[in-house]
Amino acid sequence: MPHGYGYGSPWWHGRFRGCGYRITVPRQAILDFLSRTSKHMSAEDIYVGIHKTFPNVGLTTVYRTLELLVEMGLVFKFDFGDGRARYELAMGPKGVRHHHHLVCTSCGRAIDYTDFIDEEKELLARTEKGLSEKYNFRISNHLIQFYGLCDKCRGK
Amino acid sequence: MPHGYGYGSPWWHGRFRGCGYRITVPRQAILDFLSRTSKHMSAEDIYVGIHKTFPNVGLTTVYRTLELLVEMGLVFKFDFGDGRARYELAMGPKGVRHHHHLVCTSCGRAIDYTDFIDEEKELLARTEKGLSEKYNFRISNHLIQFYGLCDKCRGK
DNA sequence: ATATAAATGAAAATGATTTTCAATAAGAGT
DNA sequence: ACTCTTATTGAAAATCATTTTCATTTATAT
């Protein structure tokens, strides 16, 4: 099997071992679950999602694991303004899934978009460089979100 | 006094009256306080800030007023990732204060920046147009934040 | 197989924000 | 100015996502 991780250890085992973190059932369950969806999941969504298969993984552990994954850079954490954080796998075997969000201020739905990323990337790189120098900031990340009304909510 | 609103009713009275909202002491206090600062204030910051002069304005009213002001578009609400919302006056007599933020992931400090706004504006306008059409979204706003370590937090 | 420290789950704590509800006050009409 | 109507308010209680505590379990180095 050239490329792909169908058999053998999942690709992220090395990252864990390298950081001295243990590979546990809840962590595998959560990463596996996240890798099977492209939606924006809340901690509770994930808890519910794995509960059928792993009934003894608690919500606390989901929160703790997500915090760890965010800190490791494996997961992105977003705030769409409804008071609960959303999580998404940052990258898979194929690399970083770079995208931004269109958030509906009425129903809270968030749509991923990857359009215009190339021009955007170029501008962002320049902006980051300029800002880093001017404010002596080490920029590691950015967030772009557009807000508005989705097609369903437009008709009032 | 040509231009400026030093005497007479504050500029936002009309907006309130037009919406059928009453002009009350707490609302005046909060708007006045926000117009005197350029910092990013939490609801409690505002509560504390006006408490000396207006000891009988409660925290509940601060939250309620901010919600109203955000809905009216007079105030922007931001999330810098520390669990408490921050508020800023959206515009003054001089117009919209368009800027974005550099957020330090270590100390939580947020720096305003207005650099590169012109190029950015152009790209954003194009992106908004494209996204609006493609996803049938009515975009009304956007958020851009850069995350990293500020000068003070860089030296670990 | 064993030791040891990391990881876990349940319950309790936290803390920002919201809701409830009776009391107050803004503003229209007089 | 006075009255009426209803929006607005403040205090206390409720909510709810997330975090902390702590005794127990488990991954993994030995």
Side-chain angles (χ1 to χ4, degrees):
Chain A
M1 178 174 255
H3 306 300
Y5 297 81
Y7 303 128
S9 292
W11 60 273
W12 47 269
H13 277 197
R15 286 288 294 275
F16 268 67
R17 294 246 160 71
C19 297
Y21 298 137
R22 294 180 179 174
I23 291 155
T24 67
V25 170
R27 287 172 181 175
Q28 305 207 60
I30 291 166
L31 272 166
D32 184 62
F33 180 72
L34 283 177
S35 70
R36 289 182 199 292
T37 185
S38 62
K39 292 188 192 139
H40 321 105
M41 307 298 253
S42 69
E44 191 165 4
D45 290 336
I46 296 167
Y47 170 75
V48 170
I50 64 180
H51 191 264
K52 200 171 177 182
T53 322
F54 300 95
N56 28 8
V57 172
L59 182 56
T60 306
T61 297
V62 173
Y63 274 107
R64 270 190 297 232
T65 301
L66 288 170
E67 186 186 16
L68 184 76
L69 296 174
V70 168
E71 180 221 297
M72 291 176 74
L74 298 183
V75 162
F76 289 136
K77 181 180 183 179
F78 292 100
D79 167 51
F80 295 151
D82 66 347
R84 46 172 60 191
R86 302 310 168 94
Y87 301 86
E88 282 183 70
L89 211 54
M91 39 165 48
K94 290 176 186 169
V96 178
R97 300 163 52 233
H98 193 79
H99 66 271
H100 297 303
H101 294 114
L102 234 60
V103 181
C104 177
T105 51
S106 173
C107 67
R109 192 158 62 104
I111 296 174
D112 295 354
Y113 75 88
T114 51
D115 313 86
F116 313 102
I117 288 290
D118 288 337
E119 301 153 271
E120 187 186 288
K121 219 181 257 172
E122 201 261 322
L123 174 64
L124 282 175
R126 253 187 304 140
T127 306
E128 283 197 15
K129 188 168 184 300
L131 291 176
S132 293
E133 285 164 7
K134 178 160 182 181
Y135 298 101
N136 201 25
F137 229 82
R138 182 181 302 291
I139 292 174
S140 54
N141 215 340
H142 65 252
L143 170 73
I144 299 187
Q145 287 180 359
F146 286 93
Y147 297 96
L149 292 176
C150 72
D151 52 355
K152 287 173 190 162
C153 293
R154 281 179 66 172
K156 236 189 167 222
Chain B
M1 176 173 256
H3 305 298
Y5 298 79
Y7 304 128
S9 291
W11 61 274
W12 47 268
H13 276 199
R15 286 289 294 275
F16 267 67
R17 293 247 160 71
C19 296
Y21 299 137
R22 293 179 181 174
I23 291 155
T24 67
V25 170
R27 287 172 181 176
Q28 304 208 60
I30 291 166
L31 271 166
D32 184 62
F33 179 74
L34 283 176
S35 70
R36 288 183 199 292
T37 186
S38 63
K39 292 188 192 140
H40 321 105
M41 308 297 253
S42 68
E44 191 164 5
D45 290 337
I46 296 167
Y47 170 75
V48 170
I50 63 180
H51 192 262
K52 201 172 177 180
T53 321
F54 301 95
N56 29 9
V57 172
L59 182 55
T60 307
T61 298
V62 174
Y63 274 107
R64 270 190 295 231
T65 301
L66 288 170
E67 186 186 14
L68 184 74
L69 296 174
V70 168
E71 180 220 295
M72 290 175 74
L74 298 182
V75 162
F76 288 136
K77 182 180 184 179
F78 292 100
D79 166 51
F80 295 150
D82 66 347
R84 44 171 59 189
R86 304 309 168 94
Y87 301 86
E88 282 182 71
L89 211 53
M91 40 167 44
K94 290 176 188 169
V96 178
R97 301 163 51 234
H98 193 78
H99 65 271
H100 297 304
H101 295 114
L102 235 57
V103 181
C104 178
T105 51
S106 175
C107 66
R109 192 158 61 103
I111 297 173
D112 294 355
Y113 75 87
T114 51
D115 313 85
F116 313 101
I117 288 288
D118 288 337
E119 299 154 273
E120 188 185 288
K121 220 181 258 174
E122 201 260 324
L123 174 64
L124 283 175
R126 251 187 305 140
T127 305
E128 284 197 14
K129 188 167 183 300
L131 291 176
S132 294
E133 285 165 7
K134 178 161 181 180
Y135 298 102
N136 201 24
F137 229 82
R138 182 182 301 292
I139 293 174
S140 54
N141 214 341
H142 65 254
L143 170 73
I144 299 187
Q145 287 180 357
F146 286 94
Y147 297 95
L149 293 175
C150 72
D151 52 354
K152 288 174 189 162
C153 294
R154 280 179 67 172
K156 241 195 162 211

